[in-house]
Structure formats: C-alpha cells, structure tokens
Amino acid sequence: MKKRYLFFILLLMVLLLVIVACKTDKASDSNNTTKDVAIEELPIMVMEEVALNDGNEGRNAYIVVDGIVYDVTSSSKWKSGTHNGFQAGRDLSEEILRDSPHGTKVLKNIKAIGRIEK
Ligand code: HEM
C-alpha cells in the first residue's frame, strides 16, 4: 500500500516536471526570435541591397516586414520574386497586413537574413 502511494507521488512529480519544461520551451520561442534566429544577431542591411534582390532574372528574392529581411528565393509562392501581384525587393510591412489573407504568421517559416536599421 505504502509503495503504491510513493509511486503515485513520483509519477505526479514527473508529470509536473514535464509540464514546466514544456512551458519554458514555449516562453523562449516567443522571445524576440524569428525562425530560430535572435533578431539582434541578424546582420544590418540597407534597403538598396534589398532592392537589388527582387527575384527577377535569377536574382535572389528578399522582402522586408517590420524591419526584418526575409529570403523568399526558394519559396514556390514567390516565383521570380512575385507573389499575388506583390514584388520582392521591397518593404511589404503594410501590404502583408492590409492585403493578404494570412497576415504575418506565414513569416515564421521563412528564413530571416538581416534587419534594417531604424
Ligand atoms: C492578395 C494578397 C495575398 C494573397 C491572396 C496571398 C496568399 C498566400 C497564400 C495562399 C499563401 C500560402 C500559405 C497560406 O495560405 O498561409 C501565401 C504564403 C505567403 N505569403 Fe502571401 N498572399 C498575399 C499577399 C502577401 C503579401 C503582401 C506578402 C508580403 C510579405 C505575402 C507573403 C507571403 C509569404 C512570405 C508566404 C509564405 C511562402 C512560403 O511559405 O514559401 N503575401 N500567401
């Protein structure tokens, strides 16, 4: 009887530990990061460089949202740097909120490669 009681206590403690571990993980996820990279650690880029990467004629395709530069070169949704009438090489912070059905949630799967200094 006593053994069974101890076993249950142990089980409860393990469960509690697992829950705490999961919560800590989630908290660090939302800690100013984008696709596993800390924003502060991204290299500073200028808009001129972004503009050169418009996805046309084999060039890379970069877009800027809220000061972060995303590389959409390999995205099937951004072939030749265009996506539903929007052109890469630009700051699309307003357009993604105003015109897209998805909003900024799609960016969490896109590689962030730089940030624009304010
Ligand atoms: C008429 C406006 C737009 C439409 C109808 C549209 C539609 C879509 C659809 C259907 C997807 C596939 C994923 C999903 O459904 O969540 C997608 C992905 C995406 N869209 Fe849009 N979009 C629009 C505007 C924009 C704008 C303005 C941006 C600006 C940054 C943008 C950025 C993206 C990105 C980064 C992805 C993810 C691509 C990937 O995962 O490879 N979209 N969009």
Side-chain angles (χ1 to χ4, degrees), residues 47-57 59-65 69-75 77-92 95 110:
M47 278 314 290
E48 285 78 3
E49 190 180 350
V50 174
L52 288 173
N53 291 279
D54 59 2
N56 289 321
E57 294 160 356
R59 291 187 287 273
N60 283 344
Y62 298 168
I63 53 171
V64 175
V65 175
V69 185
Y70 295 90
D71 186 347
V72 289
T73 309
S74 57
S75 169
K77 297 275 170 197
W78 283 88
K79 278 204 184 107
S80 302
T82 55
H83 171 68
N84 293 302
F86 295 95
Q87 178 67 53
R90 297 185 185 165
D91 187 326
L92 297 170
E95 289 84 344
I110 307 292

Side-chain angles (χ1 to χ4, degrees), residues 1 5-7 15 20 27 36 54 60 64 71 74 80-81 84-85 89 92-94 96 103 106 111 117:
M1 190 64 188
Y5 184 65
L6 272 172
F7 175 74
L15 258 171
V20 170
D36 308 327
D54 59 2
N60 283 344
V64 175
D71 186 347
S74 57
S80 302
N84 293 302
L92 297 170
S93 309
E94 284 175 18
I96 198 168
V106 286
K111 191 176 167 49
E117 205 170 33

